[in-house]
Amino acid sequence: MIFEHDVVVVGAGLAGLRAAVEVAGHADVALISKVFPTRSHSGAAQGGIAAALGNEEPDSWEWHMFDTVKGSDFLADQDAAEVLARDAPRAVYELEHMGVPFNRNPKGLIAQRAFGGHTGELGRRSIKRACHAADRTGRVIMDTLYHEAVRKGIKVYPEFHLLELIHKEERVEGLAVYDLAQGDVHVFKTRAVVLATGGFGKVYKTTSNCFANTGDGVYLAYKAGVPLQDMEFVQFHPTGIRGLGVLISEAARGEGGVLRNGPGERFMEKYAPTLKDLAPRDMVSRAIAREVREGRGVGGLDYVHLDLTHLGKERLSEKLPEISSFVRIYLGLDPLKDLIPVEPTCHYMMGGIPTDLGGAVLGQSGRIFQGLYAAGECACVSVHGANRLGCNSLLDLVVFGRRTGKRVLEDLPRLEARPLPKGADESVRMGLDRIKERKKGIRPRALQKQMQEIMSACCAVYRNEAGLMEGLDSVRSLLAQLDEVVVENKGGRFNTDLTDCLELEYLLRLAEVILVSAGARKESRGAHFREDFPQRDDLSWLKHTLVQKNDQGPLVSYKPVTITRFQPEARVY
Ligand SMILES: Cc1cc2nc3c(=O)[nH]c(=O)nc-3n(C[C@H](O)[C@H](O)[C@H](O)COP(=O)(O)OP(=O)(O)OC[C@H]3O[C@@H](n4cnc5c(N)ncnc54)[C@H](O)[C@@H]3O)c2cc1C
């Protein structure tokens, strides 16, 4: 079938929903999502959304901006960080007015709690800036925004999987999608496309991300010629449940939880004397890895403990009910009495599709890719630079989701609908058939597992030249096997075997870009730590990485960082 809408938003997480809600009522907008919309990963966000409301103690947007920039190890573009911090209070009150049930403090105001890297007076002390609804913040914002989308009559196509961006040079014309329920290919004719397809934590073995986070939009933009930005910066969250990666939110430490090594020491005091357990994530993850390397993991093994036993029953059940239940369900432990085994888990991608402050995608040589926009974790504005602070992603989604919606409306009058190329759906359909026709070969999940192991071994918290080179060789040898991947399910409806195969390609291509970017950056900054280049080197490396698809392989180039208010300084916490 052929569908036609002025604007198509791909992805129904908070970024996509917020963009679509902005456009609705002004232009004909549709929302497509490969999972049922409210199943998007945004619904799993636990800890909160940052805004300098000052409800618990004095705060200001300048301090929030400073923390974001310092947290990013000075790689964030400061004009973008300023937009984020300045707009945060408005964005949170807007959510409140839409109906998000935030926790309240005794004064009846939106309650706020401490989070990693959020400080008062430019780094002097930890500050309470995270607005939250217990530890289900993403869930309640998701349900509220989805309700808003339904109320505004946005046409939703659930379980439609984007397969191709149809474009002529740097101008979008439409989309090809796979209808999971029917097993058929459809095309959308459209004037503007917003990519809000989320992250790709599934590149790694241990991750807090859901199964859908396979980087589809990021890869398809790359395939269409968009250079990807800062892909070497992969955030590992310090407290994933050991062996599973399921997240124990930083809110646990915001509420007073502490990390302990094997001998029971509160080791973060050594690494970050002021903020201790509430230092930024890159530093805490490295500290855990170092404790483990130096033999101070629990029982000499590869993990440490998160201690919540002193928080008391009331606080756990009021502020951290969800993670308390995870600990009971997944580990059979009682967080009131037992220490929780944790290890760093792949959590967030700082890099992605480069955009300007309005969400317009920057194609080759920084030119605007006409009709293409991106928002949320798949985009790189860049507000998070080399390391994102906790609670700044949910904020990014609603601030830049809204701005993207506004920008689309501004641009729409000059984006004429174009005729779709003939047979656009047919060539995509034939591509899928070719995959299904293979009789013998490797199962997609088997290759995916190998890739995840390689990436976790070669390109995680610590990196070095030899490991990165080895990782790149191994990933390329897996890429060479893509044509041999076999899909055993030859049916049409809900063929997850087939979508696994498509997602495997996206993940492998992005793994290659991560490795190439990480290999090229010969310094340590934020989440990218090179054992062979352990210092930050502003003289040579205070710049964004760009990687462009090329017939000879990914091509690396750089672009400057926008610095407005804060000059780079040593990152001491
Ligand atoms: C466990 C966990 C807890 C977190 N807690 C917090 C927190 O407390 N505070 C905070 O600020 N951040 C938190 N984060 C980070 C934050 O939740 C994510 O960065 C954010 O939700 C990403 O939102 P998004 O809208 O960009 O994409 P997502 O919410 O990931 O949604 C992606 C959407 O794209 C769709 N999609 C993808 N590919 C396709 C395709 N091919 N075709 C069609 N649709 C497609 C999916 O169906 C989905 O609807 C957390 C992350 C995790 C994993």
Side-chain angles (χ1 to χ4, degrees):
M1 286 174 71
I2 298 178
F3 299 97
E4 191 170 343
H5 296 279
D6 290 333
V7 183
V8 179
V9 178
V10 188
L14 296 185
L17 281 171
R18 187 62 194 83
V21 163
E22 198 60 29
V23 174
H26 305 285
D28 164 34
V29 55
L31 192 59
I32 72 175
S33 172
K34 69 177 178 181
V35 300
F36 188 78
T38 52
R39 286 276 174 193
S40 305
H41 190 66
S42 294
Q46 302 170 352
I49 175 165
L53 303 183
N55 286 354
E56 309 284 348
E57 53 193 316
D59 197 359
S60 79
W61 70 261
E62 285 97 338
W63 296 351
H64 186 184
M65 175 185 169
F66 171 78
D67 292 341
T68 302
V69 170
K70 184 172 169 188
S72 83
D73 222 349
F74 295 90
L75 194 73
D77 284 325
Q78 295 189 15
D79 51 350
E82 178 165 341
V83 166
L84 184 85
R86 264 181 190 259
D87 199 30
R90 186 211 53 76
V92 166
Y93 289 131
E94 177 185 76
L95 291 172
E96 183 194 32
H97 296 168
M98 282 180 183
V100 172
F102 286 114
N103 276 39
R104 304 265 153 197
N105 66 16
K107 287 186 240 159
L109 303 172
I110 292 176
Q112 298 186 276
R113 65 178 157 213
F115 239 81
H118 291 279
T119 73
E121 296 175 72
L122 312 183
R124 286 253 172 94
R125 60 196 149 79
S126 175
I127 202 175
K128 293 180 176 168
R129 188 178 284 146
C131 312
H132 55 278
D135 52 359
R136 304 187 184 100
T137 314
R139 179 80 269 143
V140 297
I141 301 178
M142 161 66 78
D143 290 346
T144 307
L145 274 183
Y146 184 63
H147 178 92
E148 202 58 20
V150 173
R151 194 176 70 80
K152 292 203 163 188
I154 293 170
K155 174 75 185 156
V156 179
Y157 296 88
E159 296 173 330
F160 270 34
H161 182 125
L162 170 68
L163 292 174
E164 284 286 351
L165 286 171
I166 302 171
H167 64 102
K168 185 149 189 232
E169 286 151 12
E170 293 192 314
R171 168 77 171 91
V172 161
E173 297 175 330
L175 301 171
V177 303
Y178 183 62
D179 175 346
L180 294 162
Q182 301 302 324
D184 200 4
V185 174
H186 307 303
V187 287
F188 281 76
K189 187 172 165 188
T190 182
R191 293 155 65 193
V193 170
V194 179
L195 294 172
T197 52
F200 38 102
K202 279 284 158 193
V203 166
Y204 288 85
K205 185 166 107 185
T206 307
T207 173
S208 66
N209 283 200
C210 68
F211 280 84
N213 283 4
T214 50
D216 311 16
V218 180
Y219 168 64
L220 293 173
Y222 177 63
K223 189 176 164 195
V226 175
L228 299 181
Q229 186 171 325
D230 295 339
M231 293 285 281
E232 63 272 40
F233 300 104
V234 176
Q235 177 162 84
F236 281 77
H237 191 296
T239 57
I241 292 181
R242 181 184 182 226
L244 296 175
V246 172
L247 191 74
I248 301 288
S249 169
E250 202 167 276
R253 281 170 286 135
E255 294 290 347
V258 295
L259 290 163
R260 297 191 186 283
N261 61 14
E265 292 157 359
R266 197 180 164 188
F267 58 88
M268 278 313 298
E269 290 174 342
K270 276 187 304 199
Y271 299 94
T274 308
L275 296 190
K276 303 184 178 77
D277 297 87
L278 287 173
R281 290 173 180 171
D282 57 329
M283 296 179 81
V284 183
S285 288
R286 261 194 312 276
I288 294 176
R290 180 135 167 227
E291 290 296 303
V292 164
R293 280 182 167 197
E294 292 175 3
R296 292 186 297 278
V298 176
L301 297 174
D302 58 350
Y303 68 101
V304 296
H305 276 138
L306 176 62
D307 182 357
L308 307 182
T309 54
H310 53 290
L311 296 190
K313 196 169 174 185
E314 208 173 309
R315 198 164 208 180
L316 283 183
S317 59
E318 266 179 26
K319 295 288 195 150
L320 304 166
E322 193 86 349
I323 61 155
S324 299
S325 84
F326 289 169
V327 172
R328 288 191 198 98
I329 293 169
Y330 296 116
L331 295 167
L333 296 175
D334 178 356
L336 261 180
K337 298 193 198 120
D338 302 311
L339 300 177
I340 307 164
V342 292
E343 64 175 346
T345 182
C346 171
H347 184 59
Y348 184 87
M349 299 298 173
M350 270 72 74
I353 306 167
T355 71
D356 68 9
L357 295 178
V361 170
L362 304 173
Q364 295 183 33
S365 316
R367 285 189 307 264
I368 301 272
F369 197 118
Q370 298 297 320
L372 189 62
Y373 303 81
E377 192 171 336
C378 70
C380 183
V381 182
S382 114
V383 281
H384 310 302
N387 173 65
R388 172 176 76 81
L389 291 191
C391 295
N392 264 357
S393 172
L394 293 190
L395 180 60
D396 169 10
L397 309 177
V398 292
V399 165
F400 287 96
R402 170 174 172 270
R403 288 177 74 92
T404 305
K406 285 192 182 301
R407 175 64 176 273
V408 168
L409 288 174
E410 261 171 51
D411 291 352
L412 219 46
R414 45 178 194 78
L415 294 170
E416 289 299 312
R418 297 224 191 158
L420 286 173
K422 276 210 180 70
D425 52 341
E426 206 38 49
S427 63
V428 175
R429 202 172 280 122
M430 276 160 56
L432 294 184
D433 287 345
R434 269 198 300 277
I435 298 177
K436 280 207 223 165
E437 277 158 15
R438 286 179 212 144
K439 298 242 161 28
K440 265 213 220 100
I442 315 154
R443 306 275 291 140
R445 282 289 163 103
L447 273 198
Q448 195 198 75
K449 194 159 168 266
Q450 288 182 43
M451 169 200 65
Q452 290 168 335
E453 272 164 12
I454 293 164
M455 291 301 284
S456 294
C458 299
C459 195
V461 174
Y462 283 108
R463 300 155 176 199
N464 60 48
E465 188 77 20
L468 292 169
M469 296 289 282
E470 189 191 322
L472 190 57
D473 282 350
S474 311
V475 161
R476 285 188 170 150
S477 82
L478 298 183
L479 273 167
Q481 295 173 58
L482 264 181
D483 287 344
E484 294 157 34
V485 174
V486 69
V487 168
E488 280 179 7
N489 180 356
K490 310 290 180 196
R493 288 174 187 252
F494 291 107
N495 190 341
T496 51
D497 211 6
L498 181 62
T499 47
D500 275 356
C501 181
L502 302 171
E503 291 167 352
L504 172 67
E505 173 163 12
Y506 313 151
L507 288 169
L508 274 172
R509 302 263 179 221
L510 296 179
E512 183 186 28
V513 178
I514 295 172
L515 287 161
V516 167
S517 309
R521 184 174 286 272
K522 301 198 184 335
E523 64 151 358
S524 290
R525 185 182 297 272
H528 172 71
F529 191 89
R530 292 277 306 245
E531 293 164 304
D532 39 357
F533 301 97
Q535 302 303 326
R536 190 177 85 195
D537 173 3
D538 289 335
L539 221 53
S540 314
W541 290 103
L542 184 56
K543 54 190 179 186
H544 296 292
T545 309
L546 291 172
V547 173
Q548 169 118 38
K549 192 165 182 293
N550 183 277
D551 290 342
Q552 279 80 51
L555 205 67
V556 183
S557 61
Y558 296 93
K559 73 173 184 187
V561 176
T562 307
I563 294 177
T564 56
R565 285 172 181 251
F566 303 110
Q567 287 305 316
E569 57 174 62
R571 207 158 153 257
V572 179
Y573 284 95

